Amino acid sequence: MTLEMFATVALNGLTVAALYFIVAIGFSLIFGLMRTVNMAHGTLFLVGAYAGVAVFYPLYDQGFSYAWIVALAAGIAGAAVFGVLLQVTLLGWMQGQELRQTLVTIGISIIAADQLLAIFGGNSQQFFPPDALFGSVSVPLVQTGHYSTFRLFQIAVAAAVGVGLWLILHKTKLGIIVRAGVDDRAMLSACGVNVALVSVLVFAIGAALAGLAGVVGGTAQPFGQEKDVQFLLTSLVVVIVGGMGSLPGTALGALLVGMAEQFGQSLFPTYSVMFTLLLMVIVLAIRPQGLLGKRLT
Amino acid sequence: MLSVRDLRVSFGHAEILQGVSLDVGDEPFAVAGRNGMGKTTLCYAIMGMVPVQSGGVVFDGASIEGKSPTRVSRSGIAIVPQGRRVFPSLTVDEHLRLVSRGKNAAWSIERVYDTFPRLAERKGNGGSQLSGGEQQMLAISRALLLNPKLIIMDEPSEGLAPVLVDHLIEVLKKLANEKIGLLLVEQNLRVATSVASNVAIMLSGRIAATVPASQLSADEALQRRYLGVSTGSH
Ligand SMILES: Nc1ncnc2c1ncn2[C@@H]1O[C@H](COP(=O)(O)OP(=O)(O)OP(=O)(O)O)[C@@H](O)[C@H]1O
Ligand SMILES: [Mg+2]
């Protein structure tokens, strides 16, 4: 492998890791606080992407220059509303019944997938990035000497999400509450905190990030109906590798999974999926709680 | 202040609380009893942290059984649970900010640091880096900052060195003088009898007897019968 090729594959790995991080961090926080394995998390990605599609093309066709920004806002808002409804109408009532929540979210994801197929059809779709993020910029070392501007932007978005969440978790009262809830939900409740309300808020944030990823990811690459399962499975692997409920753990997990996937594809295209699974198996064997995860009791 | 009537709690087929009744007034009230008799379950049942099968809990004239821990806490009861249950991810200061009701409340963060200077020194340390005694101070402070009318304390002396147990007794006596109600679960009879005026003895999910503290500390036969101790501490 040449240096140019290595640099390119590494940058590709960072790009997909960025997207995986944005999706998986919501999944991880939701599990951390509520112990809910949200099997509809990939659906939130898809809901965000299609909410974006619903507003993007009509505006774009009229030549509206902020179409992408509006689509991004619609994706974030659409997924957040969907997530809040899911938590308020269904999951909140089953708090503590993990198996029931898991089955209900699988059911929701199947129903939602059919509805989205009926409304938006089976063709794959893609957003056009705004002019400022269109095309490529020169990047030293990589093959051809150029790299997609939007993919670099995707990395910047993930970094901003990571820093923003870190600041919320460590510098605000909400952050103190969320971390306490991840540690000991019942004790937090006994301190007079309305944990059910905090859960809705965390669900909204996690879902909004999945929606954000839907529009950002749907701009970098075409997306179709199959993305819900793909992003759910990737989120699962990322948090298993990095550690459930941990922000740095999810970042590390996303990075490792993204790199394993991209290097796997370029070195052994036929067996690339094995790399991701192998990574998960190794972590499970040596550190079942994930690389940076806390031991679950 | 707190009145528990015929409270029953089961886990699966095992009935752990088999109809507990007790009344806590303005004076500190202690509950003693051997391991596994259901003392912790009683604390959690009052607090809403385990589901209750039947029976009633009335606090300050309002019925609170079956309410969420959030609601019970907001009605004015705080808990210092067995094992402290401090939050490992939170620093000492973050614990206090989590529950603080502001500068003007009877208990403020400043007052906690004045009362427990050790906690001020450990401000930036995480909950899991504290010693047992420091964790206990933190758990008590966390309860105090909620400015409750009643505190439930479950075995606060457990695992503390003898000097710290003396300190604990002083702290609990001060709280009693401040008119904060106290339901104190203790296997250490010296703590129970020096703080509380009455001690209920729990046996297999029931209150077997309620005796004045002075009588319990004097009557070794009584201690042996219900508590399996002869020296007054275990
Ligand atoms: N969540 C639970 N599920 C099933 N059984 C439980 C649960 N919690 C407690 N028990 C059982 O209930 C009984 C009473 O437990 P509890 O902790 O209330 O006793 P305790 O008097 O506080 O004991 P100790 O002095 O050891 O703290 C024990 O037999 C315990 O195993
Ligand atoms: Mg106990």
Side-chain angles (χ1 to χ4, degrees):
Chain A
M1 190 180 238
T2 63
L3 181 63
E4 281 75 21
M5 191 177 163
F6 180 85
T8 308
V9 175
L11 202 52
N12 287 344
L14 196 60
T15 311
V16 294
L19 193 61
Y20 292 166
F21 171 74
I22 304 173
V23 182
I25 187 59
F27 183 80
S28 180
L29 285 178
I30 288 168
F31 176 84
L33 185 65
M34 293 159 249
R35 294 288 179 269
T36 300
V37 180
N38 178 24
M39 300 297 277
H41 203 72
T43 305
L44 294 171
F45 175 95
L46 221 46
V47 166
Y50 281 115
V53 163
V55 299
F56 180 74
Y57 288 109
L59 291 173
Y60 189 81
D61 291 345
Q62 288 173 24
F64 184 58
S65 42
Y66 294 107
W68 190 82
I69 303 284
V70 177
L72 187 70
I76 293 172
V81 169
F82 190 88
V84 166
L85 286 177
L86 187 60
Q87 172 68 16
V88 171
T89 60
L90 290 169
L91 301 177
W93 301 104
M94 310 165 195
Q95 181 57 46
Q97 298 170 273
E98 288 95 348
L99 183 60
R100 180 169 290 180
Q101 290 181 326
T102 305
L103 293 175
V104 164
T105 49
I106 291 175
I108 292 293
S109 68
I110 294 171
I111 295 168
D114 271 350
Q115 296 305 314
L116 290 173
L117 183 62
I119 301 170
F120 295 98
N123 294 336
S124 67
Q125 317 243 17
Q126 189 167 13
F127 300 97
F128 305 114
D131 292 344
L133 301 172
F134 198 79
S136 59
V137 288
S138 96
V139 174
L141 274 180
V142 301
Q143 282 167 331
T144 75
H146 285 273
Y147 201 76
S148 152
T149 314
F150 191 82
R151 288 176 155 222
L152 294 176
F153 171 73
Q154 181 167 302
I155 297 171
V157 170
V161 165
V163 171
L165 280 178
W166 190 90
L167 288 175
I168 291 176
L169 284 174
H170 291 272
K171 300 289 170 203
T172 68
K173 178 95 180 252
L174 175 66
I176 295 178
I177 291 174
V178 170
R179 280 183 294 137
V182 171
D183 281 346
D184 190 339
R185 190 185 163 95
M187 195 58 225
L188 178 64
S189 179
C191 290
V193 174
N194 186 344
V195 186
L197 191 64
V198 177
S199 299
V200 172
L201 205 58
V202 167
F203 221 104
I205 293 173
L209 288 174
L212 168 79
V215 176
V216 170
T219 310
Q221 275 187 335
F223 69 94
Q225 298 285 350
E226 75 292 346
K227 288 288 176 187
D228 54 351
V229 176
Q230 186 196 322
F231 275 95
L232 171 64
L233 292 181
T234 307
S235 298
L236 270 168
V237 176
V238 164
V239 297
I240 287 171
V241 169
M244 287 269 194
S246 156
L247 175 64
T250 305
L252 180 64
L255 192 65
L256 290 175
V257 170
M259 290 297 173
E261 187 189 291
Q262 292 301 311
F263 277 96
Q265 271 176 22
S266 72
L267 293 174
F268 308 96
T270 327
Y271 303 105
S272 68
V273 68
M274 294 288 292
F275 277 74
T276 319
L277 294 178
L278 201 63
L279 177 69
M280 186 171 85
V281 168
I282 292 172
V283 171
L284 278 176
I286 55 174
R287 243 184 108 79
Q289 71 270 40
L291 293 174
L292 300 181
K294 278 177 293 225
R295 205 168 281 279
L296 294 177
T297 46
Chain B
M1 191 184 306
L2 176 78
S3 158
V4 177
R5 283 289 159 269
D6 199 29
L7 198 64
R8 286 170 194 273
V9 171
S10 305
F11 295 119
H13 292 298
E15 190 170 47
I16 305 299
L17 294 191
Q18 310 181 350
V20 172
S21 301
L22 55 82
D23 289 281
V24 183
D26 294 331
E27 298 286 305
F29 185 90
V31 174
R34 282 197 291 259
N35 290 102
M37 290 298 160
K39 305 181 296 299
T40 298
T41 306
L42 172 63
C43 298
Y44 286 157
I46 296 171
M47 203 65 213
M49 293 165 83
V50 296
V52 167
Q53 251 71 50
S54 66
V57 182
V58 175
F59 178 66
D60 249 9
S63 181
I64 57 164
E65 78 276 354
K67 296 258 192 309
S68 71
T70 311
R71 299 275 296 276
V72 175
S73 167
R74 291 183 180 180
S75 77
I77 306 182
I79 186 167
V80 179
Q82 186 166 21
R84 290 77 149 131
R85 289 177 76 163
V86 300
F87 303 109
S89 317
L90 265 48
T91 64
V92 168
D93 204 53
E94 285 171 339
H95 272 90
L96 304 183
R97 272 158 48 211
L98 174 70
V99 285
S100 168
R101 294 290 177 268
K103 278 191 167 37
N104 301 323
W107 278 93
S108 63
I109 295 182
E110 289 72 24
R111 185 163 172 215
V112 162
Y113 283 145
D114 281 345
T115 313
F116 302 108
R118 187 76 193 128
L119 287 184
E121 288 165 30
R122 303 284 263 153
K123 232 178 185 170
N125 284 95
S128 52
Q129 299 167 312
L130 304 178
S131 72
E134 290 163 349
Q135 286 190 6
Q136 193 57 264
M137 284 181 221
L138 182 57
I140 292 175
S141 304
R142 180 176 62 186
L144 284 172
L145 280 174
L146 293 164
N147 290 282
K149 295 175 219 156
L150 175 78
I151 300 185
I152 300 174
M153 284 201 202
D154 193 357
E155 311 220 16
S157 78
E158 194 178 37
L160 295 190
V163 277
L164 290 178
V165 173
D166 292 338
H167 181 224
L168 177 75
I169 293 176
E170 292 310 309
V171 170
L172 297 187
K173 282 181 172 167
K174 270 189 210 147
L175 294 186
N177 287 336
E178 280 197 34
K179 303 283 169 251
I180 298 177
L182 183 62
L183 174 59
L184 174 67
V185 169
E186 257 306 343
Q187 296 207 50
N188 183 329
L189 272 191
R190 189 165 68 84
V191 178
T193 54
S194 35
V195 174
S197 37
N198 287 297
V199 182
I201 294 168
M202 226 175 148
L203 197 64
S204 307
R206 289 203 178 85
I207 303 291
T210 304
V211 289
S214 51
Q215 186 189 333
L216 183 62
S217 32
D219 190 341
E220 283 205 19
L222 190 66
Q223 292 175 18
R224 249 194 314 275
R225 183 154 137 232
Y226 290 125
L227 308 171
V229 290
S230 53
T231 59
S233 71
H234 70 284

